[in-house]
Amino acid sequence: ASKAIQNLKSLVPDMACVLRCNSEVPLPIAQIGLGEKVLIRPGEIVPVDGVILEGTGSLNEAPLTGESKPVMREPGDRLLAGTISLDGAFVVQVTAAAHERAIARLARLAEEAKRIKPAIVGLADQVSAVFTPAVVVLGVGAVFFWSLRLGFAPGLLIALSVLLIACPCALGVATPLVFWTGLAIAARRGILIRSGIILERLAKINHVFFDKTGTLTTGSFHLNEILTLGSADGAPLLGKHESKNGLSPLLIAASLESRSEHPVAAALRAAAAEAGLSELQVKEWRVEPGLGVRGRIDGVETEYLLGSSRFVKQAVLIPEPAIETRVEDRAERGETLVYLGAAGNLKAAFAVGEELREEAAEALAHLKKLGLSTTVITGDGRWSAERLGATLGIPDIRWGLLPHEKVAEIRTAQAKHKRAAMIGDGINDAASLAAADVGIALGCGTDLAQEAADVVMASADLTQVPWLLEFARRVRRVVATNLVWAFAYNTIGVGLALAGWLPPVLAALAMVLSSLFVVGNTRRLYAAAEKR
């Protein structure tokens, strides 16, 4: 386990080429500040976490995320230290200090995980604490018992056999060795588990909650249509339909979303940029969690609201008939609708589309094969949620939920004696990740979501989820096998030694073989992991 952790750290080079004043300056990683530009050539290991400013090419992310296929990256994409540029030259702007890089955080999590003992390890330690003095007492008793019958020398040898065969080496390593190995194997696949306790809980999970946006879907949205007043057939994406103050709905929406990291916000901003619209300054901007945003455009007194249908109802916005007649049709197609309102009226709606992750159906089918039930909890509207459920074959979908309502759904499942895992990636998922028995944050998620999670995946590959849950069950089976073997072996061995049927040499050999069995049984985890 320690070796796997050191391998994580050793992936990153100590030096990087920084671009300063049109020249290349080699610098130690620790001396590179935030915002600096780093040059990465083909074949080099990425030394920093950052965003691509220039360059396009494929990267090998397997050392960090476990993704076996090369992935294409282009300007605007994020790069993580430890990945390898295969054929692209990149200029990357640094977004994290050396000690805050993703690979450094993962290594710290792995180090912490080694120090926290699962309950079953504590049980083995407690048994060993009682077992050892009990065996000493039996050994002393054997000396007196057999000395009276066979003499002191034979009695001493029998007592020695008792102590040798009962040495609790196998018992002492039977559980911690398995959990440390499990943590190391998961780390090699880019999955960091905070402790052995979490690995133990993962083996008991029987229900999985999924967030929708950014988890089951790619999180990449594109604007399909703008529905505005007087445009029954929908407005073109350029957003030329202007409001009374001369501002197009798309420009207003993009300006309101200028401070948001939500994927839908990125789609609106991208559409505005494509239309040549420059975002305006927004005053009194604030977020309504799970609903949307509101604020005032500089130079306009009206307060604008932008968000979900629930936001529309809460703000009591009156929809324009021309918009209302088109919204239901777009919703039935499974598109996400974002609404723009002002002065008590609904002014426009934006139909935004997103793509499912390619591996989502495969991952859900694997979970079903493992006997796990699944639920999708999302803040999206009914049509979008139901279309997702029909596509992926998920009957249990809860839609239109705010963050605290997602937590309530998890609490309800737990009250029915379900052990729940939550899979998510966004700010709205942080509370749900913390509430679940095990929270799993995808690597594409926000820092807040990753801080709230018990498991952090360096990649966003959903097939890692069923692999992890199945692997945790295998770890538990190996632990059980080791403990049963260690207890049975020691108990039978002590009985044979007390009866005088096990000479000291054979007792010593048997004790070593017992430990070798535990180690060998644990090593099977590596073979099982390689097959999957």
Side-chain angles (χ1 to χ4, degrees), residues 207 209 408-420:
H207 191 89
F209 285 92
E409 290 288 342
I410 293 173
R411 297 292 189 207
T412 299
Q414 291 171 327
K416 295 177 181 177
H417 307 292
K418 291 183 178 180
R419 295 185 179 273

Side-chain angles (χ1 to χ4, degrees), residues 74 78 118-119 174 189 197 223 239 271 314 325 340 342 377 379 383 406 422 431 433 474 480 504 530:
E74 56 189 22
R78 181 183 64 169
R189 292 181 67 103
I197 294 174
L223 182 59
Q314 182 174 300
T325 55
L340 176 67
I377 48 180
W383 291 108
K406 292 183 180 181
M422 171 68 191
L433 291 168
R474 183 176 292 274
E530 292 298 328

Side-chain angles (χ1 to χ4, degrees), residues 220-348:
S220 297
F221 286 80
H222 50 273
L223 182 59
N224 291 337
E225 189 175 6
I226 304 172
L227 311 175
T228 62
L229 179 62
S231 177
D233 294 325
L237 299 189
L238 296 183
K240 294 178 180 177
H241 291 261
E242 297 184 347
S243 59
K244 292 180 181 179
N245 54 27
L247 302 177
S248 73
L250 180 56
L251 176 57
I252 296 171
S255 300
L256 288 171
E257 296 284 29
S258 60
R259 305 178 192 177
S260 175
E261 296 297 325
H262 196 281
V264 172
L268 293 175
R269 293 198 304 270
E274 184 180 345
L277 302 174
S278 299
E279 295 171 9
L280 304 174
Q281 186 175 356
V282 179
K283 301 183 296 183
E284 301 176 30
W285 184 87
R286 63 183 185 276
V287 176
E288 300 289 345
L291 297 172
V293 296
R294 61 171 73 211
R296 300 179 189 275
I297 303 296
D298 192 21
V300 180
E301 290 301 319
T302 305
E303 182 183 54
Y304 290 98
L305 293 80
L306 183 72
S308 65
S309 59
R310 190 163 186 164
F311 199 13
V312 170
K313 294 176 182 177
Q314 182 174 300
V316 196
L317 297 179
I318 302 173
E320 300 284 359
I323 299 174
E324 191 175 24
T325 55
R326 293 287 297 164
V327 164
E328 187 171 334
D329 175 59
R330 306 303 299 194
E332 287 180 355
R333 301 184 195 179
E335 295 176 335
T336 298
L337 274 299
V338 183
Y339 301 88
L340 176 67
N345 293 309
L346 184 64
K347 299 298 184 183

